[in-house]
Amino acid sequence: MEQKLKTKNTQAKIFNDKIEFIYLPSVIGSGYENDVAKLAIEDGVAYRAARKNMQIHSAIILKINDEFSGFFTFQVNHIVGEFCLLQSAMTLGKEDKEIYSNMLLEIIKQNTYGYPMVMTVSTKHKLECPKVLEGVGFKTYLNLSGYEYMVYGTFEQVRMKRLAHATMTATWNSTKGDWLKMKREWNEKIEAAGEKNDVKNPKFASREGAWQGNSGMSNIVLQTKKIINGEIVSDKTKSLNANVSVLDPVACECILRFFMPTNGCRVYNPFGGGVQMGFITGSYDYEYLSSEIRQNQCDANNAICKDFYNTKWILSDSAKFTPKQKYDLVFTCPPYYQVEDYLDYDGKPPVGELNNIPTYEEFRDTLFQGYKNAISVLNDNCFFVVMTGDSRDKKGAYYGCEAEHELFFKSQGLHIYNRITYLECEFTRLATAKKTLVTRKFPKREQKILVFYKGDMSKISELYPPIGRL
């Protein structure tokens, strides 16, 4: 009995199967509509291929010994410049990874345009799975909820998709895995540029000040203690620059990629601050101009970005300065009233520095004058993006700065287009809550990204680049 089984399992086939791949410009009208629909329903995972609105797409039909045995649908999108692999299946009992891989190769042959080829696959499927696609040259650019997003091409070609998946709603969570990975990548580049151009601590360069003050909660919970020569010594270096706020480079990249028009090339920032937005803008070969009131911040940022074309910070008071050129995107993350101190080389805040203004009303009016100047040089049908947050007065009430932003921009004729909540790590906020909840104050872990639009909103889909299939 054992001998017979061995002979049966090792016996070579006398005749090879006839394998045939047939290209269809569209499943509809090909005569294979019912075959594809039935197999799609039986397969389960590929069920969408049974729909007529999905059968308009192209396909490779698999025949084994002249019998319909599988399909693979795909879409070529010339507007976006991408080649999307959609649904696939093989007849139950005929599943074969080698044949399936050859069907994939037949689809790759159809991509004569050099477009990136993309597909979303389940980690649990037998054939339509990462391992099989990796075998023909696909690479995973994103893992999300049991699925892998794969590309036959370069990661740069699908960068926008990666950003889109990180920002699928009006809540941007900067604590998620892929966001943190992209953030580390940008910070490494900024640190390398700073080291190359002799700027110390480039990510935080010249960001003197304190979000929570020198004795803020982060300084307490992040500090480490060591015993040196019998003495307890505190090390607060993890908090860096006394918890000063630093702009998230991934948020900057998302704003740049989503809100720069297809033919745009210039970004203006009326309240310069840190290096992040300029560095990202320069990395994409766009022009960047920033008005900054502190000389030390200008010098540090210009040094970090010296290798980029036309990326610069100029010493000026934004409430009095108006650029001479027109811009395709305005982005800024101005100071929040009396939250941080911004000091120049002499250890003092410059005259006109927003947080050194004595009253909130004067602060607001000065800030809004800088916005007015920036609006005047923003091209029509373009976005003005402000990353902002509210702060409390000495009695504990909010000033209402976020709400006043919306009313101001609306009064200037701009449309309120997006209200995005940017979420930060909640760890230190939870520690703060132990003190503040006694007076019913809930610590903020969010900032607002307010997106305003100047012009005709019906032209946005025409003037801004398409994102493609997600």
Side-chain angles (χ1 to χ4, degrees):
M1 185 70 173
E2 292 181 2
Q3 183 62 41
K4 288 182 180 179
L5 285 174
K6 184 177 180 181
T7 301
K8 183 177 180 180
N9 290 338
T10 57
Q11 182 176 334
K13 286 185 177 181
I14 298 174
F15 300 104
N16 291 324
D17 289 325
K18 178 183 176 183
I19 307 297
E20 186 178 5
F21 299 107
I22 302 170
Y23 164 71
L24 305 179
S26 173
V27 175
I28 290 180
S30 68
Y32 288 99
E33 295 92 337
N34 287 339
D35 291 325
V36 170
K38 288 178 181 178
L39 180 53
I41 294 169
E42 291 171 358
D43 177 78
V45 175
Y47 68 93
R48 288 181 299 164
R51 301 173 183 169
K52 288 186 178 180
N53 67 336
M54 295 301 291
Q55 291 197 355
I56 62 174
H57 299 306
S58 305
I60 293 293
I61 298 297
L62 167 66
K63 280 190 170 183
I64 301 177
N65 297 328
D66 296 321
E67 291 184 358
F68 174 85
S69 302
F71 68 87
F72 211 130
T73 58
F74 60 93
Q75 176 191 20
V76 181
N77 190 329
H78 294 293
I79 296 175
V80 180
E82 67 181 13
F83 194 113
C84 300
L85 282 69
L86 303 175
Q87 292 87 37
S88 64
M90 287 185 68
T91 301
L92 186 65
K94 294 185 178 181
E95 297 100 328
D96 184 285
K97 290 184 179 180
E98 184 177 352
I99 295 175
Y100 184 86
S101 296
N102 287 331
M103 188 159 53
L104 271 168
L105 293 173
E106 287 296 319
I107 292 179
I108 291 174
K109 290 179 184 178
Q110 305 300 319
N111 185 15
T112 58
Y113 316 100
Y115 295 157
M117 302 180 70
V118 294
M119 187 173 187
T120 305
V121 299
S122 170
T123 56
K124 299 178 181 179
H125 201 277
K126 293 180 180 178
L127 297 175
E128 196 177 287
C129 64
K131 188 173 182 180
V132 172
L133 267 74
E134 286 170 0
V136 296
F138 280 76
K139 298 173 289 186
T140 298
Y141 66 89
L142 178 64
N143 288 289
L144 191 65
S145 302
Y147 291 89
E148 292 193 20
Y149 295 80
M150 307 189 74
V151 60
Y152 187 93
T154 67
F155 289 144
E156 288 76 15
Q157 290 174 304
V158 290
R159 180 70 176 189
M160 188 62 181
K161 293 183 184 296
R162 191 176 174 188
L163 295 174
H165 279 290
T167 56
M168 291 289 279
T169 70
T171 299
W172 294 4
N173 191 341
S174 68
T175 67
K176 288 187 175 181
D178 196 52
W179 187 293
L180 292 173
K181 184 177 179 181
M182 291 188 287
K183 187 175 180 178
R184 283 194 298 270
E185 292 167 353
W186 276 119
N187 284 337
E188 287 171 2
K189 290 181 179 181
I190 292 171
E191 294 289 340
E195 183 178 352
K196 176 184 176 182
N197 296 304
D198 198 28
V199 178
K200 294 181 179 179
N201 199 13
K203 188 173 68 173
F204 294 86
S206 295
R207 303 293 289 161
E208 287 79 6
W211 182 73
Q212 299 179 60
N214 291 327
S215 300
M217 187 60 69
S218 291
N219 280 319
I220 297 170
V221 299
L222 291 179
Q223 69 177 295
T224 59
K225 294 182 181 295
K226 298 179 181 179
I227 298 176
I228 301 177
N229 297 327
E231 297 290 330
I232 298 176
V233 178
S234 297
D235 180 6
K236 298 182 180 181
T237 56
K238 283 188 177 182
S239 61
L240 289 173
N241 286 14
N243 302 315
V244 71
S245 63
V246 177
L247 194 56
D248 188 322
V250 181
C252 293
E253 185 182 12
C254 291
I255 290 164
L256 181 68
R257 294 296 301 271
F258 277 106
F259 301 120
M260 173 66 81
T262 303
N263 296 320
C265 64
R266 293 193 184 101
V267 179
Y268 175 54
N269 185 344
F271 297 95
V275 74
Q276 283 74 15
M277 189 61 181
F279 189 90
I280 276 74
T281 302
S283 297
Y284 275 103
D285 292 327
Y286 292 125
E287 296 181 30
Y288 180 83
L289 178 68
S290 180
S291 173
E292 168 56 47
I293 202 166
R294 292 186 302 130
Q295 186 68 61
N296 60 351
Q297 188 75 75
C298 289
D299 293 346
N301 292 351
N302 284 325
I304 294 169
C305 295
K306 67 182 296 184
D307 295 329
F308 295 136
Y309 164 74
N310 211 2
T311 298
K312 59 184 177 182
W313 284 254
I314 60 171
L315 185 67
S316 60
D317 183 339
S318 301
K320 301 175 182 178
F321 172 75
T322 303
K324 295 180 180 179
Q325 296 188 96
K326 287 284 190 174
Y327 290 84
D328 308 298
L329 170 64
V330 174
F331 166 77
T332 192
C333 183
Y336 307 163
Y337 185 55
Q338 293 191 346
V339 169
E340 294 179 345
D341 294 321
Y342 295 105
L343 312 177
D344 214 327
Y345 285 119
D346 59 1
K348 300 177 182 179
V351 175
E353 198 283 312
L354 286 172
N355 269 335
N356 199 41
I357 294 175
T359 69
Y360 167 73
E361 289 72 23
E362 291 177 88
F363 162 87
R364 177 200 60 205
D365 293 345
T366 304
L367 178 68
F368 287 0
Q369 182 58 52
Y371 289 163
K372 280 185 181 180
N373 297 342
I375 290 171
S376 70
V377 295
L378 178 64
N379 282 320
D380 288 338
N381 303 316
C382 288
F383 288 98
F384 194 124
V385 184
V386 181
M387 191 169 184
T388 188
D390 218 336
S391 55
R392 297 179 185 270
D393 62 24
K394 293 180 179 180
K395 295 181 180 180
Y398 281 117
Y399 288 106
C401 193
E402 292 174 12
E404 291 199 86
H405 268 74
E406 293 192 10
L407 294 173
F408 166 76
F409 277 94
K410 194 169 183 178
S411 73
Q412 299 300 306
L414 277 70
H415 305 284
I416 304 170
Y417 200 75
N418 282 310
R419 298 185 184 101
I420 299 167
T421 300
Y422 168 83
L423 292 179
E424 300 173 295
C425 177
E426 65 180 355
F427 174 65
T428 56
R429 310 306 192 273
L430 295 176
T432 304
K434 295 178 181 180
K435 287 187 174 183
T436 63
L437 287 187
V438 68
T439 56
R440 302 310 190 259
K441 295 176 186 174
F442 293 86
K444 284 167 58 71
R445 61 170 294 211
E446 83 284 353
Q447 298 178 61
K448 291 295 178 62
I449 300 173
L450 301 175
V451 181
F452 306 100
Y453 184 76
K454 178 184 179 182
D456 183 354
M457 291 186 292
S458 68
K459 294 185 177 181
I460 292 175
S461 59
E462 171 191 341
L463 299 175
Y464 288 77
I467 296 171
R469 183 180 291 273
L470 297 175

